[in-house]
Amino acid sequence: MPWAGGRAGCRRSAAEPAVAHPRAPRPRLGLDADENGLWHQEAGPTVFAPFEIGTDYFGSRTQQTMLNFRVRDLDAMLAQLRAKGADVADETQDMEGVGRFGWVTDPEGNRIELWQSA
């Protein structure tokens, strides 16, 4: 039986392409992607979690999807993003057995989740 072996990518439209935008999340998050967006990520878990339509979890009821990046040190990543002028949420969330979560909002208002696994 055919199966999906992992996430292959994420594509979205933007008013300004993320590669050219000076406040884009890619350089701020330290993603080592090439000019075509190809990025070899570290092995680890990937979450596929559907939410109810209109959830506030994504930061806005109009946002229908949210990127989630695994990070080794959530506090260090949030500090790095703040130092670079990113819009970082003040709160973090601890989920027993799962890990810690923090959020940053991209220049177009899309909330991005950062996850330090347990």
Side-chain angles (χ1 to χ4, degrees):
M1 172 188 268
W3 59 280
R7 183 181 65 237
C10 177
R11 302 187 193 286
R12 70 178 185 93
S13 61
E16 296 183 51
V19 209
H21 200 295
R23 291 178 42 214
R26 188 186 327 187
R28 290 169 180 239
L29 290 170
L31 302 181
D32 188 21
D34 69 15
E35 67 276 2
N36 297 312
L38 183 61
W39 167 48
H40 296 278
Q41 59 186 314
E42 295 178 359
T46 298
V47 175
F48 179 78
F51 282 74
E52 293 288 330
I53 291 176
T55 182
D56 289 329
Y57 190 78
F58 297 161
S60 164
R61 289 181 178 262
T62 60
Q63 185 174 335
Q64 295 184 19
T65 60
M66 182 169 57
L67 289 174
N68 174 304
F69 291 100
R70 291 185 310 266
V71 297
R72 289 187 189 132
D73 184 335
L74 181 62
D75 293 324
M77 177 59 77
L78 295 175
Q80 173 179 297
L81 290 166
R82 282 187 184 102
K84 293 183 178 187
D87 180 7
V88 177
D90 292 330
E91 78 277 359
T92 59
Q93 179 184 36
D94 294 301
M95 186 179 260
E96 188 175 333
V98 177
R100 296 182 59 227
F101 298 89
W103 299 272
V104 61
T105 302
D106 76 10
E108 294 188 345
N110 299 299
R111 191 175 194 195
I112 298 169
E113 186 168 65
L114 305 172
W115 170 37
Q116 178 181 327
S117 64

